Amino acid sequence: MDFELSKEQRDIVKAAREFALGEFPDRAAEFDRDETFDLGLLKKACDLGFVGVFIDEDYGGPGMGFLEHCLINEEFWAVDPGMGQAILSATFGSELLGLFGSEEQKKLVLPQLVSGEAILATAITEPDAGCDVTGAVTSAVNNGDELVINGAKMFITNGDLANYLLVFCLTDPENPSRHGRHSFVLVPTDTPGYESTKIRGKLGIRASDTAEISFNNVRVPLENLVGKEGEGFYELMAFFNRTRLHICAQAVGLARGALDEAVRHTKSRKQFGAPLASFQVTQFKIAEMATWIKAARNLYYEAAWSADKGKIDHALIAMAKWFSAEMAVRCSDEALQMHGGYGYIDEYKVQRIYRDAKILEIYEGTKEMEKTIIARSILG
Ligand SMILES: Cc1cc2nc3c(=O)[nH]c(=O)nc-3n(C[C@H](O)[C@H](O)[C@H](O)COP(=O)(O)OP(=O)(O)OC[C@H]3O[C@@H](n4cnc5c(N)ncnc54)[C@H](O)[C@@H]3O)c2cc1C
């Protein structure tokens, strides 16, 4: 068993960290406060090769693995989660397109994501269909010439910025199996009838765009169906088994950022005539955080490494996603606690980290759903 990253992977980590440290700290508070982002930074990250590293060479990417994308996520999120998400979510959906898209769809979309000319988003969640994805009612009706889409999607990352959207649609409502009713459809967002409304007031990752989407007779050619009609649910599960790896890396990065802040503060802040770091209670918290981070990283390294070898272990991925997300929330809580009242005000970075952490337990499968997957894999 070899836990060492290769020289190339170590170089990626170093470059990603240098980029994030160079670009993020000066702007993170502004983007968080204003709920905005500078897309010039996405382009810069693309030019430097940080975006879409898992995309095949045939489609403009360097053809690396999901592990490399995880490594970049971890470094970006360690410096600022919101900005990390604003940049690296631009390819969200390319994992699905890579697995199930037609040659034409992949040639059209994937190279533009790597170069930063386009943003892809994926719309599954609806106002009345969250964890229960099979409850999605946004419909795509085949009228013989086109697919006509009607409905609404909720909480869509980059919904207000994306050039293309992968939409999880109801295509066979009468199918006796709830798992055979849906299909993915590729929608250019400049198609008439597509409307997005930015959602404001998020708790965290406020640099990342989130929107509500409505489809009012949105017409796309039949060849915009992605994968097989009626297979959307299974394609979605395959997609999540890749993208959840990235969430694990986000969580480990965020927790590292929280630990850094805790170490910095407890070494400098004195009470009872001594630095907070000299008290055993503080030392135990620091020791626990460092250990949780290491455990979560080992879990996601194994899950991502296996996925890149073609072995998808959905229970392991669910374990890694639940554990790392909860670990990140706990670390950010402990880090804020060690700041006392200072952690409660926005002048201190730890407040932002604390707010950013919570999303990790919600998106791409809530922690309850992850535990359900794990339990089913054991109990049958
Ligand atoms: C910032 C942000 C970005 C997002 N980006 C995207 C995106 O790009 N694309 C997209 O499609 N969606 C996106 N989402 C949506 C996200 O995936 C959903 O919010 C999530 O899946 C939960 O769905 P819900 O909010 O409807 O909660 P609900 O499904 O209503 O769940 C509420 C609570 O009930 C629990 N629960 C539900 N069912 C069960 C059960 N059977 N057993 C036990 N507990 C249960 C859940 O775990 C949760 O704790 C995003 C959300 C946010 C906040």
Side-chain angles (χ1 to χ4, degrees), residues 311-323:
K311 186 173 166 238
I312 295 293
D313 182 338
H314 71 288
L316 174 64
I317 293 166
M319 285 175 188
K321 161 75 165 76
W322 156 61
F323 182 80

Side-chain angles (χ1 to χ4, degrees), residues 3 5 24 28 31 44-45 87 94 120 145-146 186 188 207 213 242-244 250 270 278 284 292 323 325 374 377:
F3 285 92
L5 296 178
F24 293 4
F31 295 146
K44 207 166 177 178
I87 293 173
S94 58
L120 176 64
D145 298 321
E146 297 160 314
L186 179 66
I213 313 282
R242 275 74 180 178
T243 59
R244 283 175 183 162
Q250 295 176 355
K270 285 186 179 162
S278 69
F284 278 16
W292 292 332
F323 182 80
I374 299 163
S377 78

Side-chain angles (χ1 to χ4, degrees), residues 73 110 135 208 218 234 239 261 274-275 288 305 307 321 324 347 353:
N73 255 299
L110 299 180
S208 168
V218 170
Y234 298 103
F239 171 58
E261 292 306 302
E288 285 166 9
W305 180 83
K321 161 75 165 76
S324 58
E347 198 184 317
I353 296 174

Side-chain angles (χ1 to χ4, degrees), residues 85 92 121-132 153-158 202 204-205 208-210 240 359 362-369 372:
Q85 177 68 346
F92 185 55
T122 301
I124 306 136
T125 309
E126 298 186 0
D128 293 321
C131 290
D132 179 13
K153 294 287 180 181
M154 189 67 182
F155 300 134
I156 305 310
T157 300
N158 288 324
K202 293 208 302 282
I205 58 164
S208 168
D209 176 71
T210 312
F240 276 155
I359 191 61
I362 298 173
Y363 65 11
E364 293 187 48
T366 62
K367 62 177 170 178
E368 291 77 16
M369 291 298 108
T372 305

Side-chain angles (χ1 to χ4, degrees), residues 123-126 128-139 153 168-184 230-237 240 369 376:
I124 306 136
T125 309
E126 298 186 0
D128 293 321
C131 290
D132 179 13
V133 293
T134 60
V137 293
T138 293
S139 61
K153 294 287 180 181
F168 186 68
C169 295
L170 188 62
T171 45
D172 185 5
E174 303 306 326
N175 194 301
S177 167
R178 286 173 69 80
H179 296 157
R181 296 178 187 163
H182 296 85
S183 313
F184 274 97
E231 294 280 306
F233 175 80
Y234 298 103
E235 293 163 2
L236 176 60
M237 294 304 116
F240 276 155
M369 291 298 108
R376 275 195 196 136

Side-chain angles (χ1 to χ4, degrees), residues 73-82 205 247-261 289 293 324-333 335 349-350 352-360:
N73 255 299
E74 185 182 324
E75 294 311 314
F76 281 13
W77 274 63
V79 181
D80 185 66
I205 58 164
I247 310 299
C248 303
Q250 295 176 355
V252 171
L254 181 141
R256 270 177 48 198
L259 178 59
D260 286 350
E261 292 306 302
M289 286 167 74
I293 290 169
S324 58
E326 197 168 282
M327 177 284 299
V329 170
R330 214 181 318 152
C331 282
S332 67
D333 184 30
K349 183 181 167 186
V350 74
R352 191 167 68 245
I353 296 174
Y354 178 83
R355 289 188 285 104
D356 288 340
K358 189 62 195 173
I359 191 61
L360 297 160

Side-chain angles (χ1 to χ4, degrees), residues 60-200:
M64 294 177 188
F66 294 116
L67 179 57
E68 283 78 9
H69 183 64
C70 285
L71 298 174
I72 298 168
N73 255 299
E74 185 182 324
E75 294 311 314
F76 281 13
W77 274 63
V79 181
D80 185 66
M83 293 182 70
Q85 177 68 346
I87 293 173
L88 294 174
S89 65
T91 59
F92 185 55
S94 58
E95 303 86 348
L96 191 135
L97 218 46
L99 285 171
F100 304 108
S102 67
E103 204 49 32
E104 292 72 28
Q105 290 164 352
K106 291 194 269 195
K107 286 232 152 77
L108 171 71
V109 178
L110 299 180
Q112 295 187 66
L113 305 181
V114 177
S115 64
E117 289 157 79
I119 292 175
L120 176 64
T122 301
I124 306 136
T125 309
E126 298 186 0
D128 293 321
C131 290
D132 179 13
V133 293
T134 60
V137 293
T138 293
S139 61
V141 174
N142 182 337
N143 70 5
D145 298 321
E146 297 160 314
L147 292 165
V148 185
I149 305 171
N150 280 288
K153 294 287 180 181
M154 189 67 182
F155 300 134
I156 305 310
T157 300
N158 288 324
D160 214 26
L161 302 173
N163 305 81
Y164 300 98
L165 200 74
L166 287 170
V167 190
F168 186 68
C169 295
L170 188 62
T171 45
D172 185 5
E174 303 306 326
N175 194 301
S177 167
R178 286 173 69 80
H179 296 157
R181 296 178 187 163
H182 296 85
S183 313
F184 274 97
V185 181
L186 179 66
V187 177
T189 59
D190 58 4
T191 313
Y194 178 97
E195 204 174 296
S196 65
T197 310
K198 185 176 172 76
I199 296 174
R200 295 198 171 270

